[in-house]
Amino acid sequence: ASGEEVDEAPAAGGLGKAGEGAGAPAARGSAVAPSSSGKARYVPPALRAADGGDAARGRQLRGLLNRLSENNLPSISAEVAKLLGEGRQRPMVDEMVTAVLGAALSEEHVLPQIALTNAALVRALSPAAPHLAAFLVEALVSRFEDDYAARRSNACA
């Protein structure tokens, strides 16, 4: 039923099946979205398309980034540039920044080749998304400042 309240909210903009955990993939006809009350609410399929396809394009972008390698950089960058040209660009840029920083700043051992490939992708996308590098640097500085402040407060405590 439209307007049905669900106790669990999906993870950061993600869609999940009603009654399942936040990371669950969306099932046909049972997606939930955060509401103004903080609880998740059912979103009918007809209204899910109203986001301009951002969720579908975000999944497609994540799939492309997962397949990114030095060998397929030209084809992946062309497909990502095409995605950036469709619809709203800001959600795609935010998704790119999150993915690139996630690969570069993970707690696990990061291979230099992954960082270089992501940097090459950002450079290749600069004509299609001129502000991507600026948002990336801004997010990196913010993350550094947060980590620095946390370490400094832990050292003083």
Side-chain angles (χ1 to χ4, degrees):
S2 181
E4 174 183 327
E5 293 293 326
V6 179
D7 288 334
E8 297 181 46
L15 296 176
K17 187 174 177 187
E20 288 188 3
R28 207 173 336 147
S30 61
V32 292
S35 69
S36 59
S37 67
K39 288 189 173 188
R41 63 177 182 80
Y42 173 78
V43 179
L47 295 179
R48 282 183 235 154
D51 73 351
D54 288 342
R57 288 184 16 240
R59 284 190 302 275
Q60 189 175 1
L61 177 65
R62 285 187 299 276
L64 290 169
L65 294 175
N66 286 337
R67 293 193 324 258
L68 181 64
S69 71
E70 189 175 345
N71 296 334
N72 63 10
L73 180 64
S75 63
I76 296 288
S77 64
E79 289 183 52
V80 171
K82 189 174 102 176
L83 275 177
L84 288 170
E86 299 170 355
R88 298 182 314 158
Q89 192 177 47
R90 183 60 195 247
M92 295 296 101
V93 168
D94 289 344
E95 187 75 39
M96 282 284 305
V97 167
T98 301
V100 169
L101 286 182
L105 301 176
S106 75
E107 296 293 325
E108 301 169 11
H109 181 66
V110 177
L111 298 174
Q113 190 64 33
I114 293 172
L116 290 173
T117 306
N118 279 308
L121 177 66
V122 170
R123 172 63 182 105
L125 292 172
S126 63
H131 302 298
L132 175 61
F135 286 124
L136 184 64
V137 170
E138 180 183 2
L140 182 61
V141 168
S142 175
R143 175 87 180 258
F144 175 78
E145 288 173 343
D146 292 346
D147 287 352
Y148 181 77
R151 288 178 189 216
R152 189 160 186 187
S153 68
N154 287 340
C156 293

